[in-house]
Amino acid sequence: MARVSLKDVCKVYPGNIEAVRSVSLEVEDKEFVVLVGPSGCGKSTTLRMIAGLEDITKGEIWIGNKMINDVPPKDRDIAMVFQNYALYPHMTVYENMSFALKLRKYPKSEIETRVREAAEILSITKLLNRRPGELSGGQRQRVAVGRAIVRKPLVFLFDEPLSNLDAKMRVQMRAELNKLHLRLQSTMIYVTHDQTEAMTMGNRIVVMKDGVIQQVADPIALYDKPVNKFVAGFIGSPPMNFVNGKIIKKESKFFFIAEGFIAKIIDEMYKKLASYENKEIIFGIRPEDIHDKLFTSMASSENTVKAVVEMVEPMGAEVFLYLAAGKSSLTARVGGHNKLEVHQDMDLVFDMSNAHFFNKDTEDMII
C-alpha cells in the first residue's frame, strides 16, 4: 500500500526561517494529490522532504506502514520528476531510462522489458537512441517521466514538471499525466504554482500559503466553497472580485453596500449574515457571476449596479471586462457577443445566489 502520511511536519532553515509549519496530510493509496500555492509557500519543500532531499525539522512522514524520516532517498521507493528534467546529456534516452535499474543490478532482460513498456506508454519508442540535446522540451519531459515509470515505485513525486513547456504542450502533457495516473493506478503527489494546472489534474488539491495548508478539497469544492479569502482569490482565473463594504438592513431586507453601489442579499443568506449588520465585511463575486443587464433575465433594481468599462480583453468565445463601479474595481467574464468598448457605461447584474462573504478581520469565509 502506498499511502503517504505527513504528521505535524515542519521545516525551519537557519535564521529561524519557517518554510513549512505543522503540515499534516493524508494521501490515500492510488490518489493524485496536487500541492499548489504562490512561490515560497512551502510546497516544493514539502515534496522534497517526502523524497528525502530535505531534512525534517519536526514531525513524521510515513509511506504505507513505515516511517521514513531517517530512510535515505534511494531506499524510500519513490521516483521524482524534476522541473529541469535532470537527464544525463551524454546518455541516450534508453540509457537515461535504464540507468537506475542498472545501478540496482536488474537483469538485462527485465531492464529491456521495462524500458520498452514505458516508452510505449509515453509514445517515445522512436526516441530511444537519441540524446536529450536532440529532443524538444516535451520529449525530454516524457523521458523524465519514463525514467520514473521503469522503477515502478510506490509513489511518484512531480516538482513543477511542466513549467518549462509552452502553453500548448503544457495542456497536452496535463492530459497525458492524467491518463498515466489512470493507467498505472499509482500514488502521485504533484507540485505546481499554476492553479489551472492544479484544478485540471488533482483528485484533491492542497492549497498552501506561508508554509501552512489553507484548504484540502476536490477541485469543485475548492472553487465553490473556499474557506477563506486567500483560497477564493488564488483559485479561479480571472480571480474572484473582492469589495469592502457593510451589511445594512432596510425594511426587513439585507443589502451589501459599498461606495458606488448596493446589492440585495438573497433571503437564504439572512440568518448567517444578520450578526454582521452595520459591520465591515468583504463581499466576493466571481467574474462569471457578473452579467450584462442586456443579456440576463435575473436583472432587478436590487441587484443591478452601474459601472464603466475600463478595459476589454476579447478571448474568442468570451470577453473579460475590467470595470469601475464607484470606487471598486471589478472583472466580469461575459459572452463573446458583448460588443462593449472602453469608457462605455454598463449595467451590471450580480448573481447573488453565488455571492461569497468573508470576515473583515480574519478573512475566513462566512457564507
Side-chain angles (χ1 to χ4, degrees):
M1 184 178 75
R3 187 183 192 201
V4 179
S5 300
L6 282 70
K7 301 178 181 180
D8 197 27
V9 172
C10 300
K11 177 63 180 180
V12 181
Y13 289 108
N16 201 32
I17 299 170
E18 291 184 297
V20 175
R21 292 188 283 164
S22 299
V23 164
S24 294
L25 177 67
E26 299 289 334
V27 180
E28 299 299 333
D29 184 34
K30 302 178 183 178
E31 190 176 18
F32 194 148
V33 167
V34 179
L35 307 184
V36 67
S39 296
C41 71
K43 57 189 184 296
S44 288
T45 302
T46 301
L47 196 77
R48 289 173 64 82
M49 286 192 288
I50 296 171
L53 303 178
E54 293 277 0
D55 293 331
I56 302 168
T57 305
K58 177 188 171 187
E60 298 176 357
I61 297 180
W62 293 70
I63 294 180
N65 297 317
K66 183 178 181 180
M67 189 171 75
I68 59 168
N69 286 31
D70 300 318
V71 176
K74 65 183 179 65
D75 298 325
R76 294 192 178 197
D77 204 2
I78 57 96
M80 190 161 179
V81 180
F82 296 91
Q83 177 180 349
N84 62 359
Y85 317 133
L87 301 175
Y88 297 109
H90 63 286
M91 292 184 181
T92 64
V93 169
Y94 184 97
E95 290 167 340
N96 267 283
M97 291 174 65
S98 63
F99 185 68
L101 301 181
K102 288 179 179 178
L103 289 180
R104 288 169 170 76
K105 309 295 185 184
Y106 279 78
K108 285 185 178 181
S109 59
E110 184 169 356
I111 292 175
E112 175 79 13
T113 299
R114 289 195 182 196
V115 171
R116 294 286 173 183
E117 284 178 352
E120 185 177 344
I121 290 171
L122 296 164
S123 301
I124 56 173
T125 302
K126 294 181 179 179
L127 307 178
L128 290 176
N129 293 323
R130 295 191 193 178
R131 286 183 168 78
E134 302 169 342
L135 307 178
S136 68
Q139 290 170 333
R140 275 178 275 177
Q141 189 58 74
R142 288 171 186 267
V143 175
V145 173
R147 185 178 54 189
I149 290 174
V150 297
R151 292 180 52 195
K152 298 184 179 180
L154 285 175
V155 182
F156 287 89
L157 305 178
F158 296 89
D159 190 8
E160 307 226 27
L162 309 184
S163 59
N164 289 335
L165 303 180
D166 61 49
K168 184 178 180 180
M169 184 57 68
R170 280 202 303 272
V171 173
Q172 183 179 336
M173 284 302 299
R174 286 204 306 257
E176 292 296 328
L177 289 174
N178 275 324
K179 290 180 196 174
L180 186 65
H181 176 247
L182 291 173
R183 181 164 180 170
L184 298 180
Q185 289 292 293
S186 299
T187 305
M188 295 185 175
I189 304 175
Y190 188 103
V191 160
T192 180
H193 65 276
D194 185 333
Q195 53 91 18
T196 302
E197 203 168 282
M199 292 288 283
T200 57
M201 296 184 74
N203 301 134
R204 284 191 302 152
I205 300 172
V206 180
V207 182
M208 296 185 69
K209 176 191 176 188
D210 298 332
V212 177
I213 291 178
Q214 303 292 308
Q215 186 172 359
V216 182
D218 67 78
I220 299 302
L222 202 66
Y223 191 81
D224 290 341
K225 298 178 181 179
V227 297
N228 57 35
K229 183 186 173 188
F230 173 79
V231 175
F234 189 80
I235 299 296
S237 181
M240 183 182 287
N241 298 286
F242 299 109
V243 180
N244 291 341
K246 285 186 177 181
I247 298 290
I248 64 166
K249 188 176 182 181
K250 282 186 177 181
E251 300 175 356
S252 76
K253 296 179 180 179
F254 283 103
F255 294 83
F256 173 81
I257 62 167
E259 190 167 347
F261 71 82
I262 181 170
K264 181 181 175 294
I265 297 166
I266 64 172
D267 296 345
E268 289 83 352
M269 297 180 177
Y270 280 4
K271 291 182 180 179
K272 289 188 177 180
L273 291 172
S275 62
Y276 288 88
E277 186 178 342
N278 296 318
K279 294 180 181 178
E280 290 287 328
I281 200 169
I282 301 171
F283 166 67
I285 190 86
R286 292 207 179 272
E288 62 269 25
D289 293 321
I290 301 176
H291 307 280
D292 186 335
K293 184 179 180 180
L294 296 175
F295 299 97
T296 181
S297 60
M298 65 177 68
S300 75
S301 59
E302 294 179 326
N303 67 351
T304 302
V305 172
K306 293 193 175 296
V308 177
V309 179
E310 295 188 319
M311 190 169 74
V312 179
E313 284 188 354
M315 305 295 289
E318 58 189 9
V319 177
F320 295 168
L321 300 176
Y322 298 88
L323 308 148
K327 288 195 173 181
S328 300
S329 296
L330 300 171
T331 304
R333 184 163 65 190
V334 298
H337 52 258
N338 288 63
K339 306 300 182 183
L340 291 160
E341 297 180 358
V342 175
H343 303 313
Q344 185 175 338
D345 292 334
M346 180 180 176
D347 287 329
L348 306 179
V349 176
F350 294 153
D351 182 354
M352 295 300 288
S353 65
N354 289 328
H356 300 259
F357 294 91
F358 303 88
N359 184 295
K360 179 73 162 46
D361 298 321
T362 66
E363 296 192 347
D364 289 337
M365 171 73 81
I366 303 167
I367 187 171

